Amino acid sequence: MVTRLSLAALLCVLLAAPSVWAQEEAEGEASEEAPAKAPSIYIPLKPAFVVNYGGKGRLRYLRAELSVRVSNISAAGSVRHHMPFIRNNLVLLFSRQKDEDIDTQEGKELLRLAALEEVRSIIELEDEESGVVDLYFNNFVIQK
C-alpha cells in the first residue's frame, strides 16, 4: 500500500515539475533582457559664461551656467578633455545673440539647442562618437 501511494505522489511531483521549471526559466530570461539602465552623468561647465552680446550700442551682458548630460564615462572624459574648445565655441555662440533672439522662452530654448548641437559637433569632430545626451541651463541671466 505504501509503495502505491509513494509512486502516486512521485508521479504528481514529476508531472508538475516541468511547468515550474519553465516558469523559472521564463522569469530568468525576462530579467536578462532588460539590463539595468546606466545612470546619466552630468558635467557642469564651470566657471559660468559671462559675455557681452547684442552688437553695437549699449553693452548687454548674458550670464549662463550650463551642464552637459552624457551617456557614459568615455563621453564624460571627452567633454572634460575638450573643455577649452567647447567653452570657446559657446562664448562665440552666446556673444552673437540679439535681444530679440533671447527675449522669449522659445528663443532661449533655441539657444539651448544650438549650444547642445555645438557641443555634440565638437565631440564628434574630435572623437568621432558623441555620447552627449543633452545640455541644460542651470542659470540664465541677461542684463540690458
Side-chain angles (χ1 to χ4, degrees):
M1 236 12 196
V2 173
T3 57
R4 285 186 185 166
L5 191 54
S6 302
L7 287 174
L10 181 62
L11 183 60
C12 288
V13 168
L14 290 175
L15 290 175
S19 65
V20 171
W21 291 331
Q23 182 179 4
E24 288 175 356
E25 286 179 14
E27 288 173 358
E29 289 173 6
S31 65
E32 291 173 7
E33 291 175 9
K37 184 179 175 185
S40 294
I41 301 168
Y42 295 90
I43 302 166
L45 304 183
K46 292 200 176 208
F49 292 86
V50 179
V51 299
N52 57 338
Y53 73 97
K56 297 180 181 181
R58 184 175 175 192
L59 285 179
R60 295 169 187 88
Y61 294 95
L62 178 148
R63 182 179 190 275
E65 293 178 17
L66 299 127
S67 289
V68 176
R69 187 174 115 202
V70 295
S71 60
N72 55 53
I73 293 172
S74 174
S78 290
V79 169
R80 287 185 186 103
H81 179 74
H82 298 294
M83 190 66 72
F85 191 2
I86 291 169
R87 290 188 63 81
N88 174 71
N89 286 19
L90 290 178
V91 165
L92 295 175
L93 173 69
F94 294 152
S95 64
R96 285 193 305 261
Q97 301 307 302
K98 305 279 186 248
D99 275 336
E100 51 276 358
D101 296 336
I102 56 177
D103 273 347
T104 65
Q105 190 65 33
E106 294 82 18
K108 290 175 183 137
E109 179 63 14
L110 288 174
L111 179 59
R112 186 189 73 80
L113 293 174
L116 171 61
E117 187 55 39
E118 190 64 40
V119 173
R120 279 184 179 156
S121 67
I122 290 168
I123 300 303
E124 287 171 1
L125 174 70
E126 296 296 320
D127 295 338
E128 298 179 9
E129 194 171 318
S130 172
V132 175
V133 177
D134 213 342
L135 179 137
Y136 303 103
F137 285 123
N138 298 335
N139 196 346
F140 189 85
V141 178
I142 55 175
Q143 179 182 350
K144 297 181 182 184

